[in-house]
Amino acid sequence: MIKLAFAWLLLGLALTAAQAAFPAPTGWWPGAGARIAIFHVLTVGWLTQLIFGVAYWLFPRISKANPYGPAAAAYVALALLNAGIVLRMLDGGRGWGEVVGGVTQLAGVVAITAVIWPRIRTK
Amino acid sequence: MPRTSVWILRFALGCLVAGAAVGTLAATGLGPQAQVVAARLHVDLVLFGFMLPFAVGTAWWILPKKGGVRPIDIPAALFVIGLFAVLTATLLGGAAGLAAGGYVLMLGSVGWTVRALWPRVQPIIAWGKR
């Protein structure tokens, strides 16, 4: 999750630079709403994933036998979060990707919250 | 993990889920005015409701305690009240005084929290001199 976060950071900064160099919508990408898609690359792809990547490692362990909780759920959350960003990127912020990507990211957020929630505890 | 951190972190996760849901709603073709309201709610919930409290809640738990632990329950509560004031102002549309008051409350609570955390942020070498 942390490695993916850094990858999204590099891509987000590269796209920000590209958009600064070519601000007018040209061709299939970037679309008029690409700025929102790039913004989500940085906020969801980088910041949120970095936060959850660190929290997944750092927060109190559940037990010795099952320290991090269900690994499958964590991988599902990882896949959904990143698929949501990719869908927004492919669409270029035009319309359908905003909705499908948004729903996918929402599902990813719910999944990662479900994974982290039991580890937020006093003992 | 201290109880204060537990509540701050749970609040942050709740705001993240709510913010993501509102953000998705904003993308589904609401009317222009509703879309602006939803977008502002989305940004406030995710930025001030999730990212800031999540960082503070984790810092409160993980930072060294050698500098002295000062409680942050009151500023945390004030921050929540400030955020709800901002969100309510956005929902009401144009309650600028309420929004400004909310942001001022959040600013004050962040200042209070920074003051409480400040002594706990120090180089490890300083520990031996205390």
Side-chain angles (χ1 to χ4, degrees):
Chain A
M1 198 172 251
I2 293 173
K3 285 179 177 175
L4 276 169
F6 283 125
W8 281 120
L9 173 62
L10 291 174
L11 184 65
L13 288 175
L15 289 170
T16 304
Q19 202 178 43
F22 310 104
T26 52
W28 70 278
W29 206 94
R35 185 169 292 181
I36 296 175
I38 295 171
F39 191 71
H40 281 87
V41 166
L42 292 169
T43 54
V44 180
W46 174 51
L47 267 178
T48 305
Q49 285 206 104
L50 186 69
I51 287 169
F52 279 118
V54 172
Y56 189 73
W57 157 67
L58 186 68
F59 278 13
R61 312 280 158 91
I62 293 172
S63 66
K64 281 190 177 176
N66 180 28
Y68 302 106
Y75 278 114
V76 167
L78 183 75
L80 288 169
L81 277 175
N82 287 281
I85 304 166
V86 170
L87 286 168
R88 280 178 184 269
M89 294 293 300
L90 290 176
D91 178 43
R94 284 183 181 139
W96 63 266
E98 287 289 302
V99 179
V100 180
V103 170
T104 309
Q105 282 179 346
L106 174 60
V109 160
V110 170
I112 195 68
T113 298
V115 169
I116 293 292
W117 191 275
R119 296 180 55 192
I120 300 175
R121 58 206 178 96
T122 51
K123 286 280 181 180
Chain B
M1 184 181 285
R3 193 168 296 279
T4 305
S5 285
V6 168
W7 285 109
I8 291 173
L9 290 169
R10 285 179 180 171
F11 172 79
L13 287 179
C15 283
L16 174 64
V17 172
V22 172
T24 305
L25 199 65
T28 55
L30 298 169
Q33 198 168 350
Q35 196 162 17
V36 169
V37 170
R40 288 197 62 179
L41 288 174
H42 172 62
V43 171
D44 282 331
L45 278 167
V46 173
L47 185 63
F48 296 118
F50 164 61
M51 285 188 181
L52 198 155
F54 204 92
V56 168
T58 305
W60 175 252
W61 163 55
I62 209 74
L63 279 175
K65 298 178 176 59
K66 299 236 175 188
V69 177
R70 299 176 184 178
I72 57 166
D73 302 64
I74 295 172
L78 292 176
F79 185 89
V80 172
I81 294 168
L83 180 62
F84 275 113
V86 169
L87 297 176
T88 305
T90 304
L91 281 170
L92 293 175
L98 186 61
Y103 282 122
V104 168
L105 205 55
M106 287 161 67
L107 174 65
S109 86
V110 167
W112 189 336
T113 303
V114 168
R115 188 173 176 274
L117 287 174
W118 195 272
R120 294 173 60 184
V121 182
Q122 51 183 293
I124 294 171
I125 196 166
W127 291 0
K129 294 178 182 172
R130 289 188 166 272

